[in-house]
Amino acid sequence: MSSRTSLPVPWLRFGRIERYVLVQQARSLAIALGVIAALIMLIDFVEISRGVGSDVDLSGLQILSLMLLKSPQVIIQLLPFVFLFGTLAAFVGLNRRSELIAMRAAGVSAWRFVLPAAGAALLFGVITVTALGPAAAAADGLFQRERTRLSGAASGSEQPEAVWIREGDDSRQMVIRAAQQDRNNARLLGVTFFIYNNDGDGMRTFSERIDAAEASLSAGRWRLVDAVGAQIGQRAVRYATLDLPSSLADDEAFERFARPQSTSFWDLPAQIRRVSDAGFSTTAYRLRLQQLLATPLMFAAMSILAAAFSLRLMRLGDLARMSVAAVVLGFAFFFVNQAASAFGSAEVIPPWLAAWLPPLLTALAAFTLLFYTEDG
């Protein structure tokens, strides 16, 4: 008896059938990605031209460049549908050409071509999270800054925008308000420091207020110039210069916290620590991190779901009904994902549960249908 016939799990082999199915899936995924990307870029082009373009005179090339910065993040968010539609189209094509029937008639288990397709989706999900996602997040951050700059230039307002910063540790918190910032000289102008002390129970008590003409951050300390400080129940004290310890990096006083969607996967853990140290809620950032970690599972689950519906076509022969059912179920899980994200953002459920529940439900539904189709 040959060694090949003694393999305990023959559907784990990667032979000619698996390669052929993967090639068909890759072609369909490329077509689905092209269609969805073109639709998104068209919508973004119109939105930017009506939004930013209505405030400031932009050329077609400028609108196109802004669109190329914004669209990748939206495309990545819709990649689960690319795997749903692409895999569904690939297996429906195989079914229409009776290739799936021939494979099954030859005794080939459905697991032999479904699991490689899911594995490829899982691998692409890892690449998306670790490489494509960070690039799209950086582009989205650049788009947000460029849109803000163009909108500010279009408004022509000379009124500087107030800057708010919060930092601290377990023992002390500082809320900093500046009338304006001088980025060229790395200074905050017209600045006020509100200092709070934290007790052992986590309660904050106001301790001191310090007003200064300007403040600069360097080497882990705030240097205040022409400052006036007053503690509760004491007279005000004037300082020509005053140094206050700081936990911020030198450039963080002049940067806003990036949106979770504009933060790279690799930067999210450090960003979560920064936001937590500043005393703000980290729920949105923790939810975003967990959603990124669950992305490969979502891609694989969508691929298995689409393949399972395609296998049912071979037995039921109702192409339209089953295709519509797969699409409807995919959109249903998308809305479940949106609802779970809303509950997670509102802290109704933990962020990890909000992120992992939709892909787990999708995977369970896909495996249930596949087991029912393959094993009865």
Side-chain angles (χ1 to χ4, degrees):
M1 182 179 295
S2 64
S3 60
R4 175 171 296 185
T5 57
S6 62
L7 285 173
V9 276
W11 43 268
L12 286 179
R13 293 178 299 177
F14 192 78
R16 182 176 300 177
I17 292 178
E18 290 81 1
R19 290 195 298 269
Y20 177 75
V21 172
L22 285 179
V23 169
Q24 299 302 313
Q25 183 194 26
R27 290 177 180 175
S28 297
L29 289 176
I31 295 174
L33 178 61
V35 172
I36 290 179
L39 181 61
I40 291 174
M41 288 189 290
L42 177 61
I43 294 174
D44 286 342
F45 188 90
V46 174
E47 180 183 350
I48 293 172
S49 61
R50 289 182 176 179
V52 182
S54 63
D55 297 330
V56 61
D57 188 16
L58 295 177
S59 65
L61 185 60
Q62 288 177 310
I63 297 177
L64 181 62
S65 62
L66 290 175
M67 178 204 70
L68 293 177
L69 292 176
K70 181 186 178 190
S71 297
Q73 184 74 349
V74 183
I75 294 173
I76 286 180
Q77 291 177 357
L78 295 181
L79 279 180
F81 289 102
V82 172
F83 281 94
L84 176 66
F85 298 145
T87 305
L88 183 64
F91 280 86
V92 166
L94 292 173
N95 201 0
R96 279 181 167 178
R97 297 190 297 269
S98 299
E99 291 173 325
L100 284 181
I101 298 177
M103 293 178 192
R104 300 300 297 277
V108 177
S109 172
W111 297 101
R112 280 189 57 183
F113 43 84
V114 171
L115 290 185
L122 189 72
L123 178 61
F124 189 83
V126 174
I127 296 174
T128 299
V129 172
T130 57
L132 301 180
D140 182 73
L142 184 58
F143 167 77
Q144 298 295 333
R145 293 191 294 271
E146 186 66 14
R147 183 178 64 175
T148 301
R149 184 187 68 82
L150 292 173
S151 300
S155 64
S157 176
E158 299 295 333
Q159 181 67 26
E161 183 180 359
V163 179
W164 289 89
I165 303 172
R166 187 172 179 176
E167 65 159 308
D169 50 29
D170 294 337
S171 61
R172 189 187 65 165
Q173 290 283 329
M174 290 195 305
V175 178
I176 307 167
R177 182 194 183 279
Q180 58 181 305
Q181 57 181 339
D182 181 5
R183 287 182 175 269
N184 295 329
N185 298 310
R187 298 182 305 168
L188 297 176
L189 306 178
V191 62
T192 301
F193 285 73
F194 301 93
I195 302 176
Y196 297 83
N197 292 326
N198 298 336
D199 57 22
D201 298 328
M203 300 295 295
R204 298 191 182 104
T205 304
F206 178 74
S207 173
E208 185 178 6
R209 169 175 174 166
I210 304 176
D211 297 280
E214 65 179 67
S216 58
L217 181 62
S218 177
R221 65 177 184 177
W222 286 103
R223 170 60 61 89
L224 280 61
V225 178
D226 191 15
V228 178
Q231 297 182 359
I232 297 179
Q234 299 183 12
R235 298 182 59 182
V237 180
R238 182 172 294 275
Y239 307 91
T241 60
L242 178 65
D243 291 338
L244 295 177
S246 174
S247 59
L248 296 176
D250 292 353
D251 58 345
E252 290 177 347
F254 306 96
E255 293 183 355
R256 298 178 183 271
F257 288 132
R259 299 187 314 152
Q261 293 78 10
S262 301
T263 306
S264 166
F265 168 77
W266 304 107
D267 296 333
L268 272 172
Q271 183 78 321
I272 290 173
R273 289 193 297 270
R274 282 186 54 204
V275 175
S276 177
D277 292 341
F280 293 102
S281 173
T282 61
T283 301
Y285 296 92
R286 290 187 287 116
L287 176 62
R288 176 63 176 170
L289 178 60
Q290 294 297 325
Q291 287 176 333
L292 290 176
L293 292 174
T295 295
L297 177 61
M298 176 62 81
F299 288 0
M302 283 295 189
S303 295
I304 298 175
L305 183 67
F309 271 100
S310 302
L311 294 177
R312 291 284 292 174
L313 299 178
M314 184 172 54
R315 295 183 178 181
L316 298 181
D318 193 349
L319 175 63
R321 182 172 63 86
M322 297 301 294
S323 298
V324 171
V327 174
V328 170
L329 189 57
F331 276 102
F333 283 115
F334 174 77
F335 286 116
V336 169
N337 185 42
Q338 295 300 105
S341 297
F343 286 131
S345 300
E347 300 183 355
V348 176
I349 58 178
W352 65 266
L353 181 60
W356 287 94
L357 183 62
L360 285 175
L361 290 177
T362 306
L364 289 175
F367 276 112
T368 299
L369 181 59
L370 190 57
F371 276 118
Y372 177 75
T373 302
E374 177 65 10
D375 303 322

